[in-house]
Amino acid sequence: MIKDKGKFYTFEGIDGCGKSTQLVRVAERLRAVGVSCVVTREPGGAPISEKIRELLMAPIPSDKAQMCVETELLLYLAARAQHVSEIIVPAINRGETVLCDRFEQATFAYQGGGRGLDMEKIRSINDFATNGLMPDMTFIIDIPVEISQERLNKLGKGKDRMESAGVDFFERVRKAYINAATADPYGIKLLDGTMSMDELTNEIFEVISCVKA
Ligand code: TMP
């Protein structure tokens, strides 16, 4: 018997938006109703991709050996290519539901909106990396940049390369996320990240319950 393919959901938003917490809560709700879930993340999710993540998340080096934006883009997409082929597609083919912390919309928002790289070029390389795989639904949890910065400061840990990019950068990233949701209201659900955690989980779960088999 051929198994039905699983669904693929991605969770997005600027740093500190609460997407990772929501992803875990939604996975718990799905498992409680008997849905088998794979929880994963980008950059990362597969051994080679996690190695690439270490490079990408390292703090800015003091020796001026800065990573150029093209290298950054290609590393995110190299990590994605491995993750898609090794983890995501096999899980979907086994009929499991995949919940992924960030995916292509992060690249459009951070490298396109934030870094200013050409969106069409990004789309084309992303398409190569994913072999055309697209999420069944993307959830963007939107919060103002001030709240994001407050939350990151409260964590009290050193900022990684992306987190230290500054307020203007995050304003551009947030705008790109909002624009993406406006352009694709059926594929991307924009959620108000200032709602309570329970309200957010309920809303995401309701949308997932309505996605057609
Ligand atoms: P995380 O903090 O949600 O684990 O994400 C790691 C960082 O990587 C975050 O600052 C967003 C950034 N990122 C990109 O810039 N482009 C991408 O394609 C992805 C997946 C993440």
Side-chain angles (χ1 to χ4, degrees):
M1 195 182 80
I2 296 170
K3 262 200 143 192
D4 285 339
K5 287 203 168 186
K7 296 288 175 201
F8 178 33
Y9 301 110
T10 59
F11 291 66
E12 300 267 7
I14 59 174
D15 296 71
C17 71
K19 65 185 167 41
S20 310
T21 308
Q22 284 304 322
L23 190 151
V24 170
R25 290 168 68 106
V26 170
E28 277 168 10
R29 290 272 292 268
L30 285 168
R31 286 179 181 133
V33 294
V35 177
S36 175
C37 297
V38 170
V39 168
T40 187
R41 70 168 181 185
E42 290 212 347
I48 290 172
S49 313
E50 289 290 336
K51 283 266 176 223
I52 299 174
R53 180 185 176 97
E54 284 171 25
L55 272 175
L56 282 163
M57 295 298 109
I60 296 176
S62 52
D63 61 0
K64 299 200 187 77
Q66 301 270 351
M67 186 183 289
C68 74
V69 290
E70 290 79 7
T71 303
E72 179 183 282
L73 171 70
L74 293 169
L75 285 177
Y76 277 113
L77 293 180
R80 179 162 306 145
Q82 187 66 31
H83 186 213
V84 165
S85 77
E86 187 180 339
I87 305 292
I88 301 178
V89 167
I92 292 171
N93 288 341
R94 288 193 304 271
E96 295 190 69
T97 291
V98 177
L99 304 177
C100 189
D101 192 335
R102 297 196 186 282
F103 195 63
E104 60 183 11
Q105 290 303 330
T107 319
F108 302 143
Y110 281 77
Q111 280 65 53
R115 299 288 195 219
L117 290 176
D118 182 84
M119 258 335 164
E120 286 319 306
K121 278 193 190 144
I122 298 177
R123 273 185 216 291
S124 148
I125 317 171
N126 179 66
D127 202 48
F128 175 71
T130 60
N131 207 5
L133 176 74
M134 280 170 64
D136 290 289
M137 181 65 70
T138 294
F139 298 97
I140 296 177
I141 301 179
D142 178 55
I143 53 167
V145 173
E146 308 83 76
I147 297 183
S148 155
Q149 297 283 307
E150 268 169 34
R151 288 182 183 172
L152 292 180
N153 289 338
K154 257 196 207 140
L155 287 177
K157 65 171 182 72
K159 289 184 177 172
D160 64 38
R161 217 167 38 81
M162 300 306 291
E163 287 167 351
S164 36
V167 171
D168 289 353
F169 174 84
F170 281 105
E171 290 291 0
R172 292 196 299 277
V173 173
R174 182 186 183 206
K175 193 159 164 248
Y177 269 133
I178 294 171
N179 289 346
T182 310
D184 181 13
Y186 296 107
I188 302 176
K189 177 93 181 146
L190 189 68
L191 298 159
D192 176 1
T194 63
M195 284 193 288
S196 76
M197 280 212 262
D198 283 343
E199 281 173 316
L200 267 172
T201 311
N202 288 341
E203 198 160 332
I204 296 169
F205 193 73
E206 207 167 291
V207 173
I208 287 180
S209 308
C210 293
V211 173
K212 287 198 182 68

